[in-house]
Amino acid sequence: MDAQRREAIAEWDDRSFSDGFAGLRRVVDDGFSGAATDGTGWLFLVDGRVVGVVDAALDAFAEASGTVYRAPDDALPVLFAMQELGGEPRAKYYTKDTPLDEADRKLSQGGFTGYIELSENVLSGDYYVAYTGGESMAAAYVGNARRLETGDDAFDLAADEVGIYTVYEVDLDVRPLPDGDGAGESGAAAGSDAASDEADELTDEPASPGAAPEADETDDQSEAPGEPGDDGGREDGPSPTNRSDEPNGVNVRTAESDRDGADPSDGADETDGPASDAVRIGDADSDGRDGAAGADRTGRAPADSDGAAASDAGAADGDAPDSDDVFSEEAEWREQKSIPALDPSEAGGEPRSGGGRRGASSQRSRSANDRARTGRSGSDANGGSPSPRATETPSSTPSAVSKREAAADADPERVRKLEAALEETETERQSLADERDRLAAERDEIESERDELAEAVDRLESEVEDLREERDRLRDELSNARERLPDAERTLTPGEAREGTNLFIRYDSKEGATLADAHEGAADREALRENLRVEHHTSFETDGLAVDGRPFEEFLQDTIEYGFTRWLVEDLPFEVRGTGNEGTLRDLYDALPEVDRAEIGGTVSIAIREGGEETREQRAFDLVLRDRMGHPLFVADLNDSRDPTAEGTLESLVENGRDIAASNETFAGAFAVTESFFEPGALETASDAVGGGLFSRSKRASFVKLSRKQGYHLCLVEARDGGFHMTVPDL
């Protein structure tokens, strides 16, 4: 079964059952409507009767156990059964051309069995109207949450929607649920027994206080097979005894008529009549019985001058089954099995009585009884064998069956030609209707495509306008850049500019404040800044040179290499001395006055001893700070991206620092500088390298020790808003 329907059923109220049919009957005896499953197959039931079997045979439930689900509305099991059976799509309509309520009226009048699905080109949900013999029930799943609506509310929502709906004709196999002891009986046999019992109950009770005794009823029935109306019923449609063998089981309207009287073709043997195992939707059964009773009460012929005869006729009308009612209604139902014309101009005449969506079944039953009764009177006028009731009807109109018989007797060839012409016209009409629907769908598709193209044009025009504004903005920026660089003759990439640049620490005057003075505490920060200069030397000409759209000097002063170098010589000495860390950072602090230059993208030579032989290797760093003799004092790895500094960067810096310290006695510190932040793994690597944690009791802060007297300080620095702050060690 369809997964979406399984999901919907799972939300119904459920309970378990066991002991096969006997257990199921204990559940459904209260007029149950819903579904039952043994884990593999499914039964759909309405009012205790099976309307569909899915993924199994009915006999599979004879001794099964499983779960039953009570539906919140009778429409759902009928609809789900029809959808699982598949049905035959008969027509497609556009709601603006053929409104749903108009289609509903026509299908109800036509005694249709099947369902309407309104879901194509509908965004708000899926809408359904199911029909059993013309009786309609609506259900809808609204919105993305598929909120269930049923009854008039569901129909009103569907009628207000705009979209394309499809009409499906479905044959329902309706049968009673077998007894626990009769699991092997077929649905038709069980239905026949049920019809016999119900017919017995109906014939035991007179229809009116003046009804004749049961013997009179039997006498009346014995004459029924001779009526002309019965012959018409046998010619134009199957006899009532064969109705239960139809592929779609027992029709609701037929079943309603069967409940009102026994089969007239067999006198007192009522078990051969049509089975009463039709699905009862809402009050369809009671409506059918009331309609038939009403027709008997209001349609009885007036008494003639003979009082006794009138009394006998009245009794016959009240108690005896109306055979022509059954035959004419069955024939009419078969004629209306196809979908009726939804356009009133195509209906071929005035609609039949009872066009309402609710209660249409009972009204059609009364209309069919009246027509069948007048048809019998007409047959008597044409020379047939009249029944007692036919002689009491004051006026009559020939039934459709009698009219066709008379026309066939008069000119069979003309009838054949007319029928052929009618069939050809009907085929042409259907072809035109299909063409109309196709053109309407094509028109809607073209309109939809037109709207989409119009939206695309609007969107593209908006994008063009945005691109024009962006173009103008870029032009302005380019113009401004050209104004700033009127003499720019050459350009370099940022990487090329860094690679050939070195920074030098120089003073305006030897008599002014120097790094040595700051180290001894003989100069303050402002004095040092006024006298100290950070000059640059490049391997290329800088006159007329632009880097990244800016003059070279402006670019250089904005780099992280330049900013860190100025902080190291202008600020760090005063931060260490001001916090009293000259001792714990002695190696680093003592090396600061020795800084003479900074090499951007520099390398450091290290000695590697293997097997008693010494080899030299070069290790590259973002920045190398050296003394006047070119010995390395500090190295730095710089991260000017938004990505955090990873653990691997710290591991590489620690190992390279060890190798440099082992080869160069002047080496005092390794710096990791980031404009983002340090990952936890990087911090843990730094802690492990300095031994005992970042707040160790060692006399030297954040010191990577190689031997008792040899090692270097490992420092982590964060760049924020143009400034630099040492986070490890914590000053």
Side-chain angles (χ1 to χ4, degrees):
M1 188 169 70
D2 178 76
Q4 193 172 60
R5 285 188 276 279
R6 284 179 184 266
E7 193 173 319
I9 292 173
E11 297 180 359
W12 300 352
D13 294 340
D14 63 276
R15 58 176 291 186
S16 60
F17 77 91
S18 59
D19 198 20
F21 289 135
L24 275 175
R25 292 195 66 84
R26 286 192 291 270
V27 176
V28 305
D29 275 348
D30 64 345
F32 173 86
S33 294
T37 179
D38 62 351
T40 302
W42 289 83
L43 297 182
F44 290 105
L45 304 102
V46 175
D47 199 22
R49 296 174 183 269
V50 180
V51 296
V53 184
V54 179
D55 297 337
L58 182 59
D59 289 346
F61 287 80
E63 298 179 357
S65 60
T67 307
V68 293
Y69 300 87
R70 183 177 295 273
D73 192 272
D74 288 353
L76 298 178
V78 174
L79 175 63
F80 286 3
M82 289 182 174
Q83 289 179 317
E84 288 296 328
L85 292 174
E88 178 183 357
R90 299 300 302 272
K92 225 179 223 191
Y93 299 99
Y94 182 44
T95 55
K96 288 188 176 180
D97 294 338
T98 305
L100 186 65
D101 52 2
E102 180 180 338
D104 173 72
R105 178 172 59 84
K106 290 294 184 180
L107 295 175
S108 295
Q109 290 176 349
F112 180 66
T113 297
Y115 68 96
I116 290 175
E117 178 178 351
L118 172 58
S119 59
E120 189 173 348
N121 290 353
V122 179
L123 299 180
S124 64
D126 299 329
Y127 302 88
Y128 304 92
V129 185
Y131 299 85
T132 55
E135 183 74 12
S136 65
M137 299 164 288
Y141 289 94
V142 183
N144 293 332
R146 294 185 62 79
R147 185 185 78 254
L148 175 64
E149 297 286 349
T150 58
D152 290 340
D153 292 340
F155 186 85
D156 292 340
L157 289 173
D160 290 339
E161 283 297 332
V162 176
I164 297 174
Y165 60 92
T166 305
V167 182
Y168 295 88
E169 182 179 11
V170 182
D171 290 336
L172 283 182
D173 184 11
V174 184
R175 67 188 80 176
L177 187 68
D179 294 331
D181 297 332
E185 295 181 4
S186 67
S192 178
D193 293 341
S196 176
D197 295 341
E198 189 172 4
D200 290 342
E201 295 176 2
L202 292 174
T203 55
D204 287 343
E205 298 179 6
S208 65
E214 185 175 347
D216 294 340
E217 179 182 343
T218 305
D219 293 341
D220 187 39
Q221 291 177 355
S222 64
E223 297 179 8
E227 296 184 5
D230 295 343
D231 296 335
R234 287 188 293 271
E235 291 178 7
D236 292 343
S239 67
T241 58
N242 295 329
R243 279 184 225 135
S244 60
D245 297 330
E246 291 179 321
N248 65 335
V250 180
N251 182 271
V252 172
R253 295 176 61 230
T254 304
E256 290 169 352
S257 299
D258 294 343
R259 293 190 188 97
D260 293 332
D263 184 357
S265 63
D266 193 18
D269 188 4
E270 297 174 355
T271 60
D272 292 335
S276 63
D277 55 349
V279 108
R280 180 167 66 83
I281 305 303
D283 296 329
D285 286 43
S286 61
D287 289 347
R289 286 191 292 271
D290 294 347
D296 289 339
R297 289 191 297 270
T298 61
R300 185 178 298 125
D304 54 16
S305 58
D306 188 351
S311 176
D312 294 340
D317 274 347
D319 291 36
D322 194 338
S323 60
D324 280 344
D325 285 353
V326 176
F327 284 135
S328 62
E329 184 171 0
E330 178 70 9
E332 180 184 348
W333 177 79
R334 289 186 173 278
E335 291 172 4
Q336 294 295 337
K337 182 79 178 299
S338 63
I339 299 174
L342 297 183
D343 187 346
S345 63
E346 301 170 359
E350 293 295 327
R352 295 177 301 159
S353 62
R357 190 163 62 86
R358 298 292 182 267
S361 176
S362 61
Q363 293 179 7
R364 283 193 298 274
S365 297
R366 291 193 292 270
S367 177
N369 292 339
D370 294 341
R371 287 195 298 275
R373 189 173 293 109
T374 58
R376 285 195 299 274
S377 300
S379 298
D380 296 340
N382 291 331
S385 300
S387 67
R389 282 175 293 173
T391 60
E392 296 168 3
T393 305
S395 61
S396 62
T397 301
S399 66
V401 175
S402 301
K403 288 180 178 180
R404 286 195 297 273
E405 288 177 346
D409 293 341
D411 192 350
E413 182 64 21
R414 182 170 178 271
V415 170
R416 186 185 63 77
K417 290 180 179 180
L418 290 174
E419 289 177 345
L422 177 61
E423 183 176 355
E424 182 179 353
T425 302
E426 192 66 25
T427 301
E428 183 178 359
R429 185 194 67 79
Q430 185 60 44
S431 177
L432 291 174
D434 293 342
E435 179 69 9
R436 177 201 64 197
D437 295 340
R438 185 186 66 78
L439 291 175
E442 185 176 346
R443 176 202 64 201
D444 294 342
E445 184 177 351
I446 292 174
E447 289 179 351
S448 177
E449 184 176 357
R450 177 203 64 197
D451 295 340
E452 290 176 358
L453 291 174
E455 292 177 359
V457 168
D458 293 340
R459 185 179 68 254
L460 291 174
E461 288 179 349
S462 177
E463 290 179 0
V464 168
E465 187 63 27
D466 292 341
L467 290 174
R468 286 174 179 167
E469 294 177 358
E470 181 69 12
R471 178 200 62 190
D472 295 340
R473 186 184 64 79
L474 292 175
R475 282 179 177 175
D476 293 340
E477 290 183 358
L478 179 59
S479 177
N480 294 334
R482 286 173 178 172
E483 291 177 359
R484 291 196 306 269
L485 298 173
D487 300 326
E489 299 173 357
R490 296 176 298 108
T491 61
L492 288 178
T493 65
E496 292 171 338
R498 284 185 171 97
E499 185 177 355
T501 302
N502 289 318
L503 304 176
F504 291 86
I505 309 302
R506 296 293 180 262
Y507 302 100
D508 287 336
S509 171
K510 292 291 186 180
E511 301 299 325
T514 63
L515 286 172
D517 294 334
H519 180 270
E520 298 299 329
D524 59 22
R525 189 181 311 216
E526 293 302 322
L528 179 65
R529 283 181 178 175
E530 289 179 1
N531 193 44
L532 186 145
R533 302 193 316 271
V534 178
E535 299 178 349
H536 64 268
H537 177 272
T538 62
S539 60
F540 46 80
E541 292 293 335
T542 60
D543 291 340
L545 178 65
V547 179
D548 202 16
R550 295 181 293 172
F552 171 76
E553 291 190 3
E554 180 182 337
F555 160 78
L556 178 63
Q557 292 175 9
D558 198 35
T559 61
I560 190 173
E561 292 88 349
Y562 184 89
F564 175 74
T565 300
R566 290 197 69 95
W567 173 80
L568 186 72
V569 296
E570 291 182 353
D571 295 313
L572 186 58
F574 298 99
E575 291 183 8
V576 173
R577 189 175 185 84
T579 56
N581 285 288
E582 305 98 309
T584 59
L585 293 173
R586 183 178 69 248
D587 293 352
L588 182 149
Y589 185 69
D590 291 344
L592 288 175
E594 304 299 323
V595 175
D596 180 71
R597 70 179 185 269
E599 181 182 349
I600 299 176
T603 59
V604 178
S605 177
I606 62 174
I608 303 296
R609 296 182 181 276
E610 292 182 357
E613 296 183 359
E614 181 178 296
T615 60
R616 307 294 294 184
E617 288 186 2
Q618 299 293 322
R619 301 289 171 86
F621 298 91
D622 294 326
L623 191 67
V624 178
L625 294 101
R626 303 178 186 273
D627 62 12
R628 188 178 298 272
M629 302 301 297
H631 300 137
L633 300 175
F634 305 105
V635 296
D637 278 338
L638 310 174
N639 176 19
D640 60 354
S641 72
R642 300 179 65 87
D643 298 328
T645 299
E647 177 181 355
T649 301
L650 263 294
E651 290 177 347
S652 175
L653 181 63
V654 169
E655 292 303 319
N656 287 333
R658 291 179 188 273
D659 294 338
I660 296 172
S663 303
N664 299 272
E665 294 181 357
T666 59
F667 183 66
F671 291 85
V673 184
T674 182
E675 289 188 351
S676 179
F677 62 92
F678 295 97
E679 289 184 347
L683 296 175
E684 185 176 351
T685 298
S687 175
D688 293 342
V690 300
L694 300 179
F695 302 100
S696 168
R697 294 183 179 179
S698 172
K699 294 180 179 180
R700 299 180 185 182
S702 189
F703 190 76
V704 179
K705 189 174 183 180
L706 301 182
S707 64
R708 187 172 65 85
K709 294 184 178 182
Q710 194 173 11
Y712 67 95
H713 292 278
L714 177 64
C715 303
L716 307 186
V717 179
E718 294 182 355
R720 293 283 187 274
D721 301 326
F724 295 84
H725 311 278
M726 185 181 293
T727 59
V728 176
D730 186 2
L731 298 181

